[in-house]
Amino acid sequence: MSGLVIRNGLVYDPLNRVEGERMDIYVKDGRIVEGPLKNAEEVDASHMVIMPGGVDVHSHIAGTKVNVGRLMRPEDHVKDVLPRSGLRRAGVGHSVPTTYITGYRYVEMGYTTVFEPATPPLKTRHTHEELDETPIIDKGCFPLMGNNWFIMDYIRENKYEECRDYVAWLLEAVKGYAVKIVNPGGVEAWAWGKYITYLDEPVPWFEITPREIIRWLCKINLELKNPHPIHVHTNNMAKPGNYETTIETMDSVKDMASTSNGQPIIHVTHVQFTGRSGTSWINVGSGAPEIAEYLNQNQHAEIDVGQIVFGDTTTMTADGSFQFLLHLLSGNKWANSDVEVETGAGVVPFRYRKGNYVNAIQWGIGLELALLVKDPWRVQMTTDHPNGGPFTEYPKVISWLMSRRARKRLLRKINSTARRRLHLEDVDREYSLNEVAVVTRAAQAKSLGLAWKGHLAPGADADIAVYNLDPKQVDPSRDYLKVRKAFRKATYTIKDGSIVCKDGEIVSSMLGRTYWVKPPLSKEARESLISNISGKFREYYTVGLDNYVIEDEYLANPHVVAPAR
Amino acid sequence: MIEVLIRGAVCTVCGCCCDDLNVEVTDGRVERVENACSLALSKFKHYSSERILKPLMRVGNGFKETSYKEAIQESARLLVNSNYPVLWGWCLTSCEAVELGLELAELVGGVIDNNSSVCHGPGLIGVQDIGISGCSLGEVKNRADLILYWGSNPVNAHPRHMARYTALAKGRFVASRRERKLIVVDVRRTETAKLADEFYQIEPNSDYELLTALRCAVNGEEIELSTVSGLPVERVEELADALISCRFGVLFYGLGLTMTYGKSRNLDAALSLVRDLNRKTKFLIMPMRGHFNVTGSNEVFTWVTGYPFGVDLSKGYPEYNPGITTISDVLRRGECDAALIVASDPIAHLPSTLAETLKKIPLITIDPHRTPTTEASQIVIPSAIIGLESTGTVYRMDGVPLECKRILDPPPGVKTDVEIMSDLLSRVKELLT
Ligand code: SF4
């Protein structure tokens, strides 16, 4: 292969402080290289924008609960079908796309790396099976640890080293990428049909608190030097007044920040769902200004937004109790899926309506978060796919971030009480293309510790998106529909140096990597851990310890990421 | 004498997928199996009888032996030349083989369906209508103080279910049988019913009535009848009270609910009852899946096509409409003009009129054993037995995935399902380009 040159595009590469410069990008053997290159294939990107391939830190694309979502939604599938054509597999799309379609649709938008943020360790073999059938994109998954009996027992018995070794072993055993915490202690309570409502409420039977779970896992995560901070879905999801829980959660680990070289040590996810003020569904409002204020004052925390988009989608989280409440509120069909020793999950179809007061508030909270947090590196763009809306709606979200006019237009159509109570009308900020590149790829790659992703310096993976958008001709603030159109279908998506998508159509396919981390664990520590847990493992689980561990060879294209920072 | 001890092998018989079999192999033969139930033992005893060792092709009333290459070429040709083939089975093989089958179906068009359409399909349709309050089996073992088997008889069909996962299991929060209440609802006094604390014997085909009455009682309505499903109304109320007052209850249902009068209506009622119970206590529901990988087959179908069974790909994209797109439907309408059967025996198990239709069209069967279906086939391709002679992923009835172990070598020359399916797929791709 003699390489590829992308000529004359306007490059947005925030990690290397390149902001709209006209540059040629050279690619060889799957990497960005220094030019020039002889006999290279040329791609003309004149009047176009070049960015690193998109990176998604939080998108439910694979595993048990996603598949329950697919099973539950035949009425969603029939709206959006894709025939086989050429090298492209068939499938269905919309809110819970089949695995092949998931890969293609991300690539069509110029995304090349996506993380599934919630996998029950016991069922992670399933997650990997689906990820292996999700083409082109690189990916990984975060094992759920916030309600794990072993971890909660260690905390109760105050056995820190054992707990740390267990976390290290678990990540390796299931080939996971980051420590995920969902409704700490609350999912265990839900297994009994009960709820946890504040950070210091004892978890039934275990008599430890969500605060302790978060702190222990944060400390362990830092000590193991895992590439991504603890990834937290807080308690009290969706409840009025929960912005306080969100701030309290971030604040609960603040004292550990000194060990991280200024990098965030906690990632709080889909904060739109946990950024509500008020005391009831009648007076629920936006707590975004308070959360933004906290983030503006404190460097140790980062968030992703979890923006909602009006329309029909499928909600799914490991937070089974929240899904049950959503079922009671909406009357929609409901699936629950509790997993022994570890976690739970729930699925409920949902339609966000502009005229609905609460939904309109939710829409506003997401955008207020994105616009009021000053540092774009710590407010990443997601829809918590498919919870806030399908990932295919990202172009719409980008247009709202870039255009006050686009926001105003929608503001006029939403529930009027919500409009009055939101702060959005007064927010003038409009994202630049550079900031868009930060929140959709650079910041997410950085947060994930993928040093070779999310930028275009020599040595980086040649994952590149070319969008048909000429910033000299198009004013994103006014022509936001053009922005949407450009981000919906990349003119080129290049993955590992190969053109995989041209004019929004898949032109070649490949198998992406699955990243996982292997934290340090000495032979002695491993042996003593195994002998310590094997008895309890037999008692609590219904599968054998050996069958629980996922062999390296099980993954089609595994890549181990070494401890970072 | 070579002795090998394989620990923690996954049993590939019923949907319990017990993963604690210790298998002793001596001289390439299974000598002893620890932890196996009677069903598992009989599989280990009989796996080598009625084996097919060479691919077979029909000549007149008999078969001639042939090579894999030729059998696969001819199979590919038949499938590519057919207008509306049906690809069926997929429950006694690995998920990896199912993945290949789904791509094959995309290429040749027609219908791909699995055994669920004639067993637990109504439960899956129920999930599409109502949803499901589900959990993994360890949740039952650790927490359940009430276990209800409805139209299912695990003592005979899933022999280790109660010991490993439910009534007889020892769990973290429920230590013994004494702390669990076992209730059985069935039309006859099964072996399982004999072990129950409470047995409700109901009239055949009256499950829907009883489920609906229970929903009324659970939701605080008065049942204005003196008997329901043959039970005095007081007994029904007593059952409803038991369901409400437990701390953590689970309803396991079998074919006694899915394949009796009402079918998916029964499941709508059962899933709704359990959903409603969650307003009062914690309650869950789980199908007692029969074959060891029928669940996995549904999972793979769903992540590739969006639908768990009965998928029509003749237009190039997945369509699903049970009543139109399952094997029974296409056979009843006499529309399909070729069939590929993987690890299943439809001629023995489908209604005889449908089996007759199947006998009239070109039939290709991939199976380790001689069955009524292989006997009626044009082409028979022998395969290795998964979980014994080949590895592969299977899903337990609660959706927990497990990797099967290879315990023995397959008979000389015999290929695995995955090898056969990939060869077939490549050959079909060649013919289509
Ligand atoms: S209960 Fe089922 S899976 Fe378990 S040993 Fe018996 S046949 Fe095998």
Side-chain angles (χ1 to χ4, degrees), chain B residues 330-383:
Chain B
V330 291
L331 288 175
R332 198 187 55 237
R333 295 196 302 269
E335 282 174 354
C336 66
D337 55 354
L340 172 71
I341 307 297
V342 178
S344 194
D345 187 9
I347 303 269
H349 296 128
L350 287 181
S352 61
T353 48
L354 303 184
E356 284 310 314
T357 312
L358 204 51
K359 284 182 187 169
K360 291 193 197 109
I361 58 175
L363 187 59
I364 307 151
T365 303
I366 302 174
D367 205 293
H369 295 107
R370 202 172 296 278
T371 67
T373 303
T374 61
E375 292 310 292
S377 298
Q378 293 281 308
I379 303 171
V380 182
I381 307 178
S383 57

Side-chain angles (χ1 to χ4, degrees), chain A residues 147-163:
Chain A
N147 294 274
N148 180 301
W149 289 3
F150 286 89
I151 291 171
M152 293 194 292
D153 281 339
Y154 286 132
I155 297 174
R156 196 184 61 243
E157 293 157 13
N158 201 21
K159 292 181 174 163
Y160 176 80
E161 276 85 26
E162 285 91 332
C163 190

Side-chain angles (χ1 to χ4, degrees), chain A residues 187-238:
Chain A
V187 183
E188 169 60 25
W190 170 244
W192 293 116
K194 298 188 161 55
Y195 303 92
I196 290 278
T197 54
Y198 61 100
L199 229 53
D200 296 305
E201 182 171 353
V203 181
W205 201 92
F206 289 87
E207 297 306 318
I208 57 152
T209 65
R211 184 187 302 277
E212 287 172 288
I213 298 171
I214 298 165
R215 284 184 60 80
W216 274 58
L217 287 171
C218 187
K219 186 169 177 205
I220 288 168
N221 197 56
L222 288 167
E223 192 182 333
L224 295 176
K225 298 191 183 323
N226 283 333
H228 184 53
I230 51 167
H231 194 105
V232 184
H233 156 145
T234 67
N235 302 111
N236 287 330
M237 170 97 152

Side-chain angles (χ1 to χ4, degrees), chain B residues 60-82:
Chain B
N61 281 335
F63 285 110
K64 77 165 181 1
E65 286 189 358
T66 177
S67 65
Y68 271 95
K69 191 167 174 217
E70 202 171 323
I72 281 167
Q73 268 180 3
E74 183 56 15
S75 304
R77 199 187 59 78
L78 284 175
L79 288 171
V80 167
N81 289 343
S82 68

Side-chain angles (χ1 to χ4, degrees), chain A residues 211-283:
Chain A
R211 184 187 302 277
E212 287 172 288
I213 298 171
I214 298 165
R215 284 184 60 80
W216 274 58
L217 287 171
C218 187
K219 186 169 177 205
I220 288 168
N221 197 56
L222 288 167
E223 192 182 333
L224 295 176
K225 298 191 183 323
N226 283 333
H228 184 53
I230 51 167
H231 194 105
V232 184
H233 156 145
T234 67
N235 302 111
N236 287 330
M237 170 97 152
K239 289 192 207 135
N242 61 10
Y243 86 88
E244 292 182 25
T245 310
T246 303
I247 293 178
E248 230 186 308
T249 300
M250 296 192 281
D251 211 48
S252 72
V253 296
K254 189 178 170 184
D255 59 313
M256 295 179 216
S258 58
T259 49
S260 73
N261 306 326
Q263 295 301 312
I265 60 169
I266 180 169
H267 179 107
V268 183
T269 188
H270 46 65
V271 173
Q272 173 276 123
F273 287 105
T274 60
R276 301 180 186 184
S277 63
T279 51
S280 73
W281 293 112
I282 310 288
N283 68 4

Side-chain angles (χ1 to χ4, degrees), chain B residues 140-201:
Chain B
V140 182
K141 155 170 136 160
N142 285 310
R143 300 186 207 265
D145 60 347
L146 182 141
I147 288 148
L148 165 56
Y149 286 104
W150 192 307
S152 92
N153 179 16
V155 170
N156 295 116
H158 300 80
R160 296 181 69 209
H161 195 263
M162 287 203 278
R164 264 173 71 81
Y165 309 124
T166 72
L168 309 174
K170 177 175 175 307
R172 179 164 190 168
F173 301 111
V174 193
S176 67
R177 171 72 178 88
R178 268 199 317 262
E179 295 172 37
R180 309 197 203 250
K181 187 170 204 165
L182 177 62
I183 302 178
V184 171
V185 176
D186 215 318
V187 293
R188 65 203 136 78
R189 197 173 194 85
T190 60
E191 292 302 312
T192 309
K194 289 179 193 157
L195 302 176
D197 297 314
E198 298 288 342
F199 171 50
Y200 295 85
Q201 184 160 8

Side-chain angles (χ1 to χ4, degrees), chain B residues 11-18 21 35-37 39-40 157-161:
Chain B
C11 174
T12 48
V13 178
C14 83
C16 285
C17 298
C18 301
L21 303 193
N35 294 334
C37 72
L39 294 181
H158 300 80
R160 296 181 69 209
H161 195 263

